[in-house]
């Protein structure tokens, strides 16, 4: 695996032949099996697989979250190398945002960026759109791989690519989970044992809510989920939504293959998100 830190070096290593496709996996590092599954898919569907690691400060609405974010570049490099990554782009801040002013990329995508993460993390998606645009512009992949773990983010990136007419295909990838079904996340590494225990409630409640949707209206299931968290001091629920997975609009009755459950919760100081599809 080749590691490059500058745009210029990256250009030197990018394939020159037009028929060589690049599969790109942008990450913020502290890599786990979720990231690796994206890389494997990128490798299997393209001629070369490129990953980037860049902890994008402008998408953190909370400075403590940014400071706490796990950093483990050496272990990351080894994982990428072992899993067949051809090229790692490891830029510093200046490389992505040269000059005094950040070149913000902020197309108005309407309602889908105003709910959930948009509502609770002001400015977050503006930072995500900006960094993804610049990374795509530098790497110029045929396909870019994003996890459904961050489902709303994936929808927003898809929408940005559509409205800006960018020549890249977004490939949504399934969520990798721990044995107790907690969605893998770099932030899991920062949980202490009590927080980790409390975090297991997230997939447990999502699974139980999926069961209940079979014979309850969404409002009833929402009320039930809220109760489960109100009675538990170890984890704080920020939001739980039952939405159409394309429009992100609430639905009255769940529809198999179309309705998705979304959650954000704090098992302690750390904020975790997850979502699951209702399959009937
Ligand atoms: P991050 O490093 O958290 O910015 O994530 C980089 C990419 O990996 C994003 O597209 C995420 O959605 C994806 N990702 C994160 N966690 C998982 C997971 N558990 N399973 C699959 N993809 C994931």
């Amino acid at each position: 695996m080749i590691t490059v830190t500058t745009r210029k070096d990256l250009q030197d290593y990018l394939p020159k032949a037009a028929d060589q496709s690049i599969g790109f996996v942008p990450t913020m590092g502290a890599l786990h099996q979720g990231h690796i599954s994206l890389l494997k898919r990128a490798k299997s569907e393209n001629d070369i697989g490129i990953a980037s690691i860049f902890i994008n400060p402008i998408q953190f609405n909370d400075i403590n979250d940014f400071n706490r974010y796990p950093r483990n570049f050496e272990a990351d490099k080894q994982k990428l190398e072992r899993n067949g990554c051809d090229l790692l782009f490891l830029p510093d801040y200046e490389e992505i945002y040269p000059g005094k002013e950040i070149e913000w990329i902020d197309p108005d995508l309407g309602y889908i960026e105003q709910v959930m993460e948009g509502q609770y993390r002001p400015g977050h998606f503006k930072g995500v759109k900006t960094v993804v645009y610049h990374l795509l512009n530098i790497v110029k992949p045929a396909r870019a791989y994003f996890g459904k773990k961050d489902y709303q983010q994936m929808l927003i990136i898809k929408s940005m690519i559509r409205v800006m007419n960018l020549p890249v295909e977004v490939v949504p990838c399934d969520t990798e989970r721990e044995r107790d079904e907690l969605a893998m996340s770099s932030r899991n590494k920062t949980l202490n044992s009590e927080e980790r225990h409390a975090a297991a409630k997230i997939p447990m409640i999502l699974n139980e809510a999926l069961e209940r949707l079979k014979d309850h209206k969404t409002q009833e299931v929402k009320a039930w989920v809220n109760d489960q968290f109100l009675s538990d001091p170890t984890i704080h629920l920020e939001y739980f939504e039952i939405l159409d997975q394309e429009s992100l609009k609430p639905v009255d009755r769940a529809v198999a293959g179309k309705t998705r459950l979304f959650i954000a919760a704090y098992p302690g100081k750390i904020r975790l998100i997850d979502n699951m599809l209702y399959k009937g």
Side-chain angles (χ1 to χ4, degrees), residues 13-15 20-24 42-43 46-50 86-87:
Y13 283 106
L14 289 182
Q20 288 258 302
S21 69
I22 295 172
F24 179 42
K43 281 282 293 181
N46 298 277
D47 297 303
I48 72 163
I50 299 184
D86 297 298
L87 206 154

Side-chain angles (χ1 to χ4, degrees), residues 33 44 78 91 104 128 172 192 194 207 222 239 262:
Q33 207 46 44
S44 73
Q78 287 172 19
W104 291 97
V128 169
N192 66 30
E194 280 127 70
N207 277 314
K222 277 188 81 169
Y239 64 73
F262 296 87

